[in-house]
């Protein structure tokens, strides 16, 4: 099987200028190079993180909304239990969709803000270390808590920074 950058014999092609390579191999190498450049750009990382956050948030919201059901012991549950089965299902699915979409939007926003901020900080500092994630977590938490006041922004900053530090530290641990 040939991969981009490999010669038909299975070994690595030593010619850096593309001599002896077919046009298809050169085109594949150019596509791979373009994809790598796109993945290293902050806008692409931000969009990708927002999209992945939307998908994950939608699945999480769907799961969580399916777990919160109304029992006939509550007034809302009693009203729902008195309705025909078809109407109960319609309302249940509508509620699941609403909650899932809301969760998806929130996860997308968090993912996009964090990823974009971390990428910008990494580009500015020209380093890839733990401090980038901590600073991005602080900015993300502060931005999300900003509307609730300065205390909420400070708590959001500290919480997101601590969570980012813990996750980054775990992900950077040697795998011994």
């Amino acid at each position: 099987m040939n991969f981009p950058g490999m010669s038909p014999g299975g070994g690595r092609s030593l010619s850096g200028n593309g001599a002896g390579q077919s046009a298809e191999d050169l085109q594949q190498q150019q596509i791979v190079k373009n994809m790598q450049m796109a993945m290293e750009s902050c806008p692409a990382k931000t969009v990708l993180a927002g999209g992945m956050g939307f998908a994950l948030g939608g699945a999480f919201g769907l799961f969580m909304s399916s777990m919160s059901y109304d029992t006939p012991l509550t007034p809302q549950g009693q009203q729902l239990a008195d309705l025909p089965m078809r109407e109960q299902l319609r309302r249940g699915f509508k509620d699941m969709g609403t909650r899932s979409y809301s969760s998806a939007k929130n996860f997308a926003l968090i993912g996009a803000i964090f990823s974009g901020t971390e990428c910008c900080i990494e580009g500015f500092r020209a380093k890839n270390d733990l401090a980038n994630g901590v600073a991005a977590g602080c900015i993300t938490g502060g931005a999300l808590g900003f509307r609730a006041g300065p205390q909420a922004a400070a708590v959001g900053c500290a919480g997101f920074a601590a969570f980012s530090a813990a996750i980054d530290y775990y992900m950077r641990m040697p795998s011994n």
Side-chain angles (χ1 to χ4, degrees):
M1 180 182 306
N2 288 337
F3 291 105
M6 303 293 280
S7 65
R12 187 122 175 94
S13 174
L14 299 176
S15 58
N17 60 2
Q21 293 181 347
S22 70
E24 184 179 322
D25 288 341
L26 292 174
Q27 184 180 14
Q28 285 179 350
Q29 287 178 353
Q30 187 62 38
I31 290 171
V32 168
K33 183 179 175 184
N34 290 340
M35 288 174 57
Q36 287 174 341
M37 283 177 27
M39 288 307 301
E40 291 174 4
S41 73
C42 288
K45 284 183 180 179
T46 302
V47 169
L48 188 62
M52 298 274 256
F54 189 85
L56 181 65
F60 182 74
L62 186 65
F63 174 74
M64 292 306 289
S65 67
S66 69
M67 292 296 169
S68 67
Y69 54 89
D70 290 321
T71 65
L73 303 175
T74 64
Q76 296 87 4
Q78 187 60 44
Q79 290 174 350
L80 193 62
D82 292 339
L83 295 173
M85 179 62 83
R86 188 176 193 143
E87 182 64 19
Q88 288 179 23
L89 288 172
R90 190 186 71 75
R91 288 189 184 185
F93 285 134
K94 185 175 181 178
D95 182 52
M96 287 171 67
T98 303
R99 289 187 189 188
S100 179
Y101 183 66
S102 174
S103 226
K105 288 189 305 185
N106 290 334
F107 273 60
L109 181 68
I110 291 169
I113 291 174
F114 180 83
S115 179
T117 306
E118 184 182 35
C119 185
C120 289
I121 291 171
E122 184 178 322
F124 180 72
R125 293 184 65 226
K127 290 182 183 177
N128 185 358
D129 59 3
L130 193 68
N132 295 341
V134 172
C138 180
I139 291 170
T140 302
L144 294 175
F146 177 72
R147 284 189 245 164
Q151 185 178 5
V155 169
C157 170
F160 267 82
F163 184 72
S164 295
I167 295 296
D168 244 3
Y169 179 76
Y170 178 75
M171 295 300 288
R172 293 175 187 267
M173 283 178 27
S175 61
N176 293 350

